Amino acid sequence: MDRIKEKMNQLRLEAEESAGKVEELQTKVKTLEQENLQKEQEVVSLTHKNSVLESEVEKFETQVKELKATATEGQQHGTQNETLTRRLQLLEEEAEEADRTLREANEKLRQTDVKAGHFERKVQALEQERDQWESKYEEMSKKYATVQKELEDFQNEINTI
């Protein structure tokens, strides 16, 4: 009789632990899904920034080409040529800066993609673990019900004696 009570208590504790573990894993899954959503939003933001920077680079490259053409045509005008050369140099520096910023944005985008993939795999693993715990919980619930039924049958037998 005491063994049955001990076994019932043990099964009850295991069921409670399993339920707690399931809740903990569900919380982890929600957290990871939120992180994944943030990373996806960051990817969208970086993609937009990337396209804006690419258009700026194209604009600067066009301006550089135009200024180079103007500088070539205006070689006879020394002062004007020097001014245009300085302006060209500034635009080239801006274009290099924009290009560097673009490369950095692309690198961040790549890193974010890698992280997003990692978090997706992590979410899948946690969901799988959660499913295993839920399965174990259901199994323990069935065992508990069986033991409970056996106990009731045993008590009925004792009462009839």
Side-chain angles (χ1 to χ4, degrees):
M1 184 87 152
D2 288 336
R3 277 193 236 136
I4 294 173
K5 285 183 179 179
E6 286 179 20
K7 191 168 186 176
M8 282 182 51
N9 285 335
Q10 183 182 9
L11 287 172
R12 192 174 297 127
L13 287 173
E14 287 179 12
E16 290 173 4
E17 288 175 6
S18 294
K21 188 71 173 180
V22 165
E23 288 178 15
E24 179 184 325
L25 289 172
Q26 286 174 340
T27 303
K28 281 184 181 178
V29 166
K30 285 180 183 177
T31 302
L32 288 172
E33 287 174 344
Q34 287 175 349
E35 289 176 5
N36 192 23
L37 180 62
Q38 288 174 345
K39 295 299 177 186
E40 287 175 358
Q41 289 173 347
E42 187 177 336
V43 166
V44 168
S45 173
L46 288 173
T47 303
H48 175 70
K49 187 175 181 179
N50 188 14
S51 65
V52 168
L53 289 174
E54 284 176 348
S55 68
E56 284 184 18
V57 166
E58 289 175 10
K59 182 178 83 175
F60 287 136
E61 287 175 350
T62 303
Q63 286 179 346
V64 166
K65 288 178 185 176
E66 290 172 1
L67 290 174
K68 282 183 180 179
T70 303
T72 303
E73 292 173 5
Q75 285 179 352
Q76 68 273 9
H77 306 290
T79 307
Q80 185 181 7
N81 191 18
E82 288 177 12
T83 304
L84 290 175
T85 303
R86 276 186 257 127
R87 186 169 176 206
L88 174 63
Q89 185 179 10
L90 289 174
L91 286 173
E92 286 177 341
E93 289 172 5
E94 287 178 10
E96 288 174 6
E97 178 66 28
D99 191 43
R100 187 172 3 95
T101 305
L102 176 62
R103 283 193 301 271
E104 289 172 2
N106 281 335
E107 180 60 23
K108 285 182 183 178
L109 179 61
R110 187 193 61 75
Q111 290 174 357
T112 302
D113 280 343
V114 169
K115 286 181 183 178
H118 172 72
F119 282 119
E120 287 174 0
R121 288 188 297 278
K122 203 169 187 179
V123 164
Q124 288 174 350
L126 285 172
E127 286 176 345
Q128 200 173 40
E129 187 177 347
R130 180 204 61 210
D131 292 343
Q132 290 172 350
W133 278 106
E134 286 177 350
S135 172
K136 189 172 183 178
Y137 176 75
E138 290 172 9
E139 180 182 315
M140 288 298 170
S141 293
K142 288 177 185 176
K143 285 182 181 178
Y144 178 77
T146 303
V147 168
Q148 185 70 26
K149 176 70 175 145
E150 288 176 7
L151 177 62
E152 288 175 11
D153 291 344
F154 182 71
Q155 286 177 344
N156 289 338
E157 258 184 45
I158 289 177
N159 288 339
T160 59
I161 293 179

